[in-house]
């Protein structure tokens, strides 16, 4: 079910469990601010999620409440991960779902990095 993207942080969400080491992930990268791991249900040959270590529900929550250091550290990690995965030359897509209209499912802010093949139009035709 889609989440609202705002409100109280749910410590029981699946990415909070990954951050606490309670469930495994296929880790790609980690630093003080961020963790990156392969999506469990990949939608492209490369589909990696990058999440901040802080408790933020969505991009709306993150950009309003995170410190400048957390925001800078996080977005630097997104670029670093894409580079590490060899996606800069062919190109890639970064996507963040926020709230009900986007069908955000996991209420811990994350960006998706997609790559490994031509990705087509940004949004499906209606
Ligand atoms: P979103 O709809 O933007 O909230 O995307 C949530 C993403 O998390 C989906 O692409 C899921 O496949 C992915 N996901 C859910 N649980 C896990 C997990 N345990 N490990 C890795 N990815 C997951």
């Amino acid at each position: 079910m889609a989440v609202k993207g705002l409100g109280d942080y749910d410590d029981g969400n699946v990415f909070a469990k990954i951050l606490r080491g309670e469930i495994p992930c296929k880790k790609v990268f980690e630093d003080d601010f961020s963790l990156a791991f392969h999506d469990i249900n990949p939608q492209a040959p490369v589909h990696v999620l990058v999440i901040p270590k802080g408790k933020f529900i969505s991009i709306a929550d993150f950009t309003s409440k995170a410190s400048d250091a957390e925001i800078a550290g996080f977005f630097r990690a997104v670029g670093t991960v894409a580079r590490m995965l060899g996606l800069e030359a062919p190109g890639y897509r970064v996507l963040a779902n926020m709230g009900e209209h986007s069908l955000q499912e996991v209420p811990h802010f994350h960006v998706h990095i997609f790559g490994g093949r031509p990705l087509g139009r940004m949004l499906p035709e209606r």
Side-chain angles (χ1 to χ4, degrees), residues 46 81-93 113-116:
V46 179
V81 169
R83 195 174 312 120
M84 282 174 54
L85 294 169
L87 296 177
E88 279 192 346
Y92 59 94
R93 180 169 293 154
I113 300 176
F114 300 104

Side-chain angles (χ1 to χ4, degrees), residues 12-13 21 25 32 34 37 45 48 51 53 59-60 64 66-67 71 73-74 87 92 106 110 115 120-121 124:
N13 81 75
C25 71
D32 289 348
S34 313
F37 51 90
V48 166
I51 69 174
K53 289 191 169 175
I59 192 163
S64 62
S67 68
I71 291 172
F74 175 77
L87 296 177
Y92 59 94
V106 177
H110 52 282
R121 288 184 176 278

Side-chain angles (χ1 to χ4, degrees), residues 3 14-15 18 23-25 37-43 47 49 95-97 102-108 110 112:
V3 297
V14 65
F15 295 167
I18 287 174
I23 60 174
C25 71
F37 51 90
H38 290 278
D39 196 289
I40 205 167
N41 183 25
Q43 305 296 310
H47 183 175
L49 302 171
L95 180 149
N97 290 315
S102 73
L103 301 179
Q104 179 183 354
E105 288 178 5
V106 177
H108 181 110
H110 52 282
H112 301 252

Side-chain angles (χ1 to χ4, degrees), residues 13 16 21 24 31 33 37-38 40 43 56 65 75 90 96 123 126:
N13 81 75
D31 67 8
F33 297 105
F37 51 90
H38 290 278
I40 205 167
Q43 305 296 310
F56 302 102
K65 294 184 189 155
F75 281 103
L123 293 174
R126 290 178 60 107

